[in-house]
Amino acid sequence: MLTVVVYRSHHVPLFSVAFGTSGDRPIRKRLSARLTNHHMPEICSGFAVKTIMEPKLYRPPPEVRGMTSLDKEAFTQTITVPALRVPTGVLNKVVKSLRKATIQRPGVPRVVQDKEESSDFRLVLLDPHRVSSPSFFSEAEAEALRSFSVAEELQYYELRLTYHNLKSEEVLEAVLPQGQDVTSGFSRVGHIAHMNLRDHQLPYKNLIGQVIMDKNPGVTCVVNKTNMIDSTYRNFKMEVLAGEENMVAKVKENGVTYEFDFSRVYWNPRLSTEHQRVVQLVKRGDTVFDMFAGVGPFAIPAARSGANVLANDLNPESHRWLQHNCKLNKVEKKVRTFNLDGRAFIQGPVKQELPVLLKGKASVHVVMNLPALALEFLDAFRGLLHQETSCDENLPTVHCYGFSKDDNPETDVVERASRSLGFPLKDQYSVHFVRNVAPNKDMMCVSFTLPKEVLFKNSHQINQ
């Protein structure tokens, strides 16, 4: 990007024109028209034209490229930024008026000592991306400066930037090979930052871990997933990239506190909204069967809202932390916990409790949050009970999660649920998009009333 600044004198710019690549033709044409129609006569009368390159706040030293062991000193650099000389009496008002134009950089002050070290003035540092000449001030900003009698003449300040003033993306972009993806994204689980690094990033994994820990207060451990989630226990192996090897995390979600060993149980911080959505469907006095309960993100909030909960998980570690979290949140009397396979949970506790619950007025919810496999477990409800009375109005509501790579994920999960039930759901269901897990892979939740034709042995033909 090239910026042409036209000055009325050596110090007072009249206007500036930005010229870019071919993609900027409309802007260039419009600004050129301004130049031609209004100012060319003045330019021809001897006005100075100064060409400057649009400044970039930080240009990493070339020697940091390819660094695998973090050398923080190597990132130190002195740059020149624009500034305004402002009387101290109006300093706070000026900073407030220019809040969008001032420099925004970690650890860098917006106000510094005047070059002449005068107690009557200070320098307000400006963002060179935002202001490269006085003409770049908005009308409101320029009016504010005039009202405070602040000259719109730019000063220039030598600013020393260190590693601590850089954003994580800037450090990683400077280090990793050019043209390759740079990631600074992670999931935060208490004090743990969980990353999913790609193959080309692995040679830099320890440096990446250190940068993430440095740039995110409260993160004292950075881990990288080393394999896919185990579909049995829903946990994954991980390696520590930086920091302490303390995997016991403490998190707060929707007002509820959870503790668990992140390396041995499943926890996804991106599901907090979904947990809340389903729990809000549960009323006081309802019963919830949480089939794949994990450490309790559905079960415990439901119990806190007054529901009776039966929560199950096959992973012994998840079951242990589920019990711990029930006590931690003082709902242990409202939650009965089980350490069973999902089918055994349906054939056991669910089968035992349902006959009485179906005769009551309170709603019954079955939550099946194991998206890799949950749809396949629906066949466990086939012929689960002998029909005794008509229970059309109080049949259980099932919330079953599944992944889909289909072009129409909603139709896909409904068809798979119907096949597993052995009975078409037709229009008696709702499908909720939860999140995009990967390109062309969505997590969906299909909710439906469990058909009596499925639940009762003597009212369906599905096993024939």
Side-chain angles (χ1 to χ4, degrees):
M1 175 72 76
L2 189 67
T3 303
V4 177
V5 185
V6 181
Y7 290 81
R8 187 179 297 278
S9 66
H10 290 296
H11 302 291
V12 184
L14 179 63
F15 58 87
S16 64
V17 184
F19 293 87
T21 61
S22 58
D24 295 325
R25 283 195 186 99
I27 296 175
R28 183 172 59 194
K29 182 177 180 181
R30 182 172 65 252
L31 294 178
S32 297
R34 281 184 55 201
L35 191 68
T36 303
N37 297 336
H38 299 286
H39 301 291
M40 285 306 294
E42 295 181 276
I43 293 174
C44 295
S45 300
F47 285 80
V49 178
K50 180 181 178 182
T51 302
I52 61 173
M53 294 301 294
E54 181 182 274
K56 187 173 183 180
L57 193 58
Y58 180 77
R59 297 180 185 276
E63 56 267 27
V64 305
R65 180 75 65 191
M67 179 187 293
T68 56
S69 179
L70 185 61
D71 177 6
K72 299 179 182 180
E73 294 300 321
F75 291 87
T76 301
Q77 190 175 99
T78 299
I79 64 171
T80 302
V81 298
L84 277 179
R85 193 166 186 257
V86 178
T88 53
V90 294
L91 184 61
N92 290 337
K93 294 179 180 179
V94 170
V95 170
K96 185 177 180 180
S97 299
L98 299 182
R99 59 184 179 277
K100 293 182 179 180
T102 55
I103 196 165
Q104 304 291 333
R105 173 70 40 173
V108 173
R110 290 182 292 178
V111 177
V112 297
Q113 182 67 45
D114 178 58
K115 292 178 183 178
E116 299 175 8
E117 298 187 358
S118 168
S119 60
D120 297 327
F121 291 89
R122 292 290 186 272
L123 289 181
V124 176
L125 303 186
L126 303 173
D127 181 355
H129 291 294
R130 174 73 171 76
V131 180
S132 57
S133 79
S135 65
F136 279 74
F137 287 122
S138 69
E139 290 184 12
E141 290 167 343
E143 177 59 33
L145 293 177
R146 287 192 291 270
S147 69
F148 298 133
S149 300
V150 175
E152 293 182 40
E153 180 178 352
L154 292 185
Q155 309 285 322
Y156 291 94
Y157 182 81
E158 299 294 309
L159 177 65
R160 185 173 182 267
L161 289 180
T162 70
Y163 168 82
H164 302 289
N165 305 131
L166 304 181
K167 300 172 184 177
S168 56
E169 308 87 66
E170 291 176 308
V171 176
L172 299 182
E173 184 180 338
V175 169
L176 268 64
Q178 287 180 304
Q180 293 188 356
D181 292 337
V182 175
T183 179
S184 59
F186 58 89
S187 296
R188 179 79 179 261
V189 182
H191 67 283
I192 302 169
H194 164 224
M195 307 193 76
N196 292 322
L197 296 182
R198 299 184 179 182
D199 289 343
H200 71 269
Q201 297 162 341
L202 293 179
Y204 309 91
K205 61 185 181 183
N206 296 116
L207 181 145
I208 292 173
Q210 186 64 48
V211 171
I212 294 302
M213 192 167 67
D214 290 343
K215 301 298 181 181
N216 294 276
V219 171
T220 58
C221 175
V222 183
V223 299
N224 181 47
K225 184 171 72 174
T226 59
N227 70 343
M228 298 300 291
I229 293 177
D230 178 86
S231 60
T232 303
Y233 286 168
R234 292 198 297 176
N235 59 352
F236 49 80
K237 293 181 181 179
M238 61 181 73
E239 62 175 332
V240 176
L241 304 183
E244 60 182 351
E245 294 193 24
N246 175 17
M247 293 291 107
V248 177
K250 183 175 183 178
V251 302
K252 197 161 188 176
E253 179 185 275
N254 300 325
V256 180
T257 300
Y258 303 90
E259 293 178 345
F260 48 84
D261 185 334
F262 184 55
S263 67
R264 305 185 73 180
V265 305
Y266 177 81
W267 179 268
N268 190 334
R270 295 186 177 93
L271 294 177
S272 61
T273 301
E274 180 62 13
H275 296 152
Q276 186 176 42
R277 182 187 74 85
V278 173
V279 169
Q280 286 176 342
L281 302 175
V282 178
K283 308 301 181 186
R284 179 172 295 277
D286 288 356
T287 296
V288 175
F289 294 100
D290 193 352
M291 195 164 158
F292 310 106
V295 299
F298 284 108
I300 292 173
R304 280 165 54 102
S305 70
N308 300 302
V309 180
L310 287 79
N312 172 71
D313 202 281
L314 178 62
N315 183 351
E317 280 294 310
S318 293
H319 180 251
R320 183 169 75 85
W321 287 105
L322 171 64
Q323 291 179 316
H324 170 82
N325 289 322
C326 286
K327 293 177 182 176
L328 184 65
N329 291 281
K330 298 180 173 59
V331 293
E332 66 271 25
K333 294 181 180 179
K334 299 287 288 183
V335 182
R336 282 184 279 167
T337 65
F338 302 86
N339 180 209
L340 301 170
D341 172 76
R343 295 182 188 280
F345 180 63
I346 292 175
Q347 296 290 338
V350 175
K351 183 176 181 178
Q352 293 167 13
E353 299 289 331
L354 269 184
V356 173
L357 294 172
L358 297 182
K359 295 176 182 178
K361 294 182 178 180
S363 298
V364 179
H365 296 266
V366 180
V367 180
M368 302 173 66
N369 183 23
L370 181 63
L373 295 172
L375 291 166
E376 299 175 17
F377 279 80
L378 289 173
D379 65 358
F381 288 105
R382 295 186 184 190
L384 185 66
L385 302 179
H386 289 282
Q387 187 169 19
E388 297 177 0
T389 58
S390 176
C391 306
D392 290 2
E393 295 182 1
N394 203 33
L395 291 165
T397 299
V398 177
H399 310 280
C400 187
Y401 292 83
F403 293 134
S404 177
K405 295 182 179 181
D406 195 87
D407 291 338
N408 191 332
E410 178 175 326
T411 301
D412 176 51
V413 294
V414 172
E415 289 178 350
R416 287 159 58 197
S418 297
R419 284 198 300 271
S420 189
L421 290 168
F423 187 83
L425 290 176
K426 296 182 180 179
D427 297 327
Q428 299 179 1
Y429 64 85
S430 64
V431 179
H432 177 76
F433 170 79
V434 179
R435 59 184 288 259
N436 179 255
V437 179
N440 302 316
K441 184 178 181 181
D442 295 334
M443 180 177 174
M444 313 293 291
C445 176
V446 55
S447 298
F448 57 91
T449 300
L450 189 63
K452 63 181 179 181
E453 292 86 352
V454 174
L455 184 59
F456 298 109
K457 283 185 179 179
N458 57 352
S459 65
H460 63 85
Q461 307 290 322
I462 57 179
N463 288 325
Q464 297 180 5

